[in-house]
Amino acid sequence: DASLPLWDEKSIKRCTQYLNWSDRVGKKLVGSEDCLYLDIIRPGDIELVNQYRQHAAFHDSKEADVVVILNTGTFMYDIPLSRQRVAHNLCCTYTIFVFVRYRLGPFGFMTTNDAIMPANLGMLDQIAALKWVQRTIVHFHGEPNKVTLAGAGAAAASVHLHMLSPLSEGLFKKAISVSGSALNPWAVSESADQLTKDYATRLNCSTPPLVSKTETRDCLLTKPALDIADQYDLAFIYRNLPISAFAPTVDHHFLQAPPHVLMRGVSQRNIPWLVSFTKEEG
């Protein structure tokens, strides 16, 4: 709703998903396929709603640091994050915050392990956002060479995966991972292709060897997004576990090999990286 201010959480367009992260939220289908938007907050924007904290006037030097924050949650569903609160808690005088949404669950990570249904679309959404920041953030008085990529949970693992991916080279200079890394057991899926077949079968789409992969994909494209998301019980074995049945996969494009293999070599970029976790998280 364009009439709502940016810091109103009702203005956030969520990607299609099945919410399963808290009994308080309840189990429900939410979101839209029309969800790939960026929210940008500058110090001047925060000034409008913050009555308790003083910020120096935003200057026009075009040298502001930029923090790109990936959507918090898991690769299956997100957890609403107050943009205003994050910006208040982290904000320095000259920092621009860019909040990124990306496709989740089957919409971001269904795959046939080839070009017919390529893997890691959710990760490519993130890369598209980072490229947009490189091209455009200067118009918001941000410095493209001062971009920090940050996230919590699955977003923290995403940050680490971008440090390992050749497709993300040069798109950020620093990284922050809170409560997650690419080494978490849920960060990379080894069964996304089989789960894709399970979803297709449930939705009355034939799968190989009965039909070609192209026919399976074309059938899935005819299904309403909420119908696809409603097959959540195929992904969750018990309550919200596993937390990321659909997740990034080794596709030899975005992710060349398992993270632990890449980390043994020289694939991980040597940039400042802040990593944090707490005991017995969750």
Side-chain angles (χ1 to χ4, degrees):
D1 186 345
S3 66
L4 292 170
L6 175 62
W7 47 85
D8 189 321
E9 300 307 309
K10 294 179 182 178
S11 68
I12 298 174
K13 292 181 178 288
R14 301 177 75 174
C15 292
T16 307
Q17 60 191 280
Y18 172 74
L19 285 183
N20 194 28
W21 61 271
S22 171
D23 290 336
R24 291 178 298 171
V25 171
K27 299 176 173 63
K28 57 183 179 180
L29 298 169
V30 300
S32 165
E33 291 182 276
D34 179 24
C35 66
L36 298 181
Y37 294 86
L38 305 178
D39 298 331
I40 301 173
I41 298 181
R42 301 185 304 165
D45 300 325
I46 301 169
E47 186 87 10
L48 296 175
V49 295
N50 183 3
Q51 303 299 320
Y52 307 103
R53 186 172 177 182
Q54 296 298 317
H55 293 280
F58 187 75
H59 69 149
D60 194 26
S61 68
K62 298 185 179 180
E63 294 181 351
D65 288 338
V66 180
V67 178
V68 176
I69 301 179
L70 302 176
N71 221 23
T72 299
T74 77
F75 291 113
M76 294 293 294
Y77 50 84
D78 63 22
I79 298 175
L81 185 68
S82 170
R83 274 83 168 121
Q84 180 189 357
R85 183 174 301 170
V86 169
H88 282 178
N89 290 342
L90 297 180
C91 187
C92 302
T93 304
Y94 303 125
T95 304
I96 296 173
F97 294 89
V98 181
F99 295 88
V100 175
R101 290 183 286 284
Y102 57 95
R103 284 172 285 183
L104 300 164
F107 308 99
F109 301 100
M110 265 190 177
T111 183
T112 53
N113 283 336
D114 54 27
I116 295 173
M117 290 182 67
N120 298 325
L121 295 182
M123 306 307 294
L124 298 182
D125 291 342
Q126 297 174 14
I127 289 176
L130 287 167
K131 288 182 176 179
W132 185 92
V133 168
Q134 287 296 310
R135 294 193 309 268
T136 313
I137 204 63
V138 66
H139 299 299
F140 295 85
H141 309 302
E143 173 52 61
N145 291 320
K146 293 183 178 180
V147 174
T148 297
L149 183 61
S158 295
V159 170
H160 191 189
L161 289 169
H162 284 296
M163 294 174 65
L164 298 168
S165 174
L167 302 186
S168 309
E169 180 75 38
L171 297 180
F172 57 98
K173 300 299 183 183
K174 299 178 182 179
I176 301 173
S177 292
V178 179
S179 301
S181 80
L183 298 179
N184 282 106
W186 44 260
V188 175
S189 173
E190 297 180 354
S191 58
D193 56 339
Q194 181 57 53
L195 193 54
T196 298
K197 293 179 182 178
D198 294 342
Y199 267 62
T201 299
R202 175 72 69 81
L203 291 162
N204 297 316
C205 293
S206 298
T207 61
L210 298 178
V211 297
S212 68
K213 293 179 181 179
T214 300
E215 290 174 291
T216 299
R217 178 202 62 195
D218 292 346
C219 178
L220 285 169
L221 287 172
T222 68
K223 306 299 180 181
L226 290 179
D227 286 356
I228 295 174
D230 199 27
Q231 311 312 312
Y232 59 86
D233 60 304
L234 293 172
F236 298 116
I237 298 174
Y238 174 72
R239 299 185 70 178
N240 66 340
L241 299 174
I243 61 173
S244 289
F246 277 114
T249 62
V250 176
D251 61 352
H252 307 290
H253 179 57
F254 170 77
L255 192 60
Q256 299 290 324
H260 70 277
V261 174
L262 295 173
M263 291 178 69
R264 290 194 190 119
V266 294
S267 297
Q268 180 162 313
R269 283 184 282 287
N270 185 22
I271 62 174
W273 182 30
L274 177 64
V275 186
S276 68
F277 64 94
T278 61
K279 184 179 180 181
E280 298 179 357
E281 290 196 69

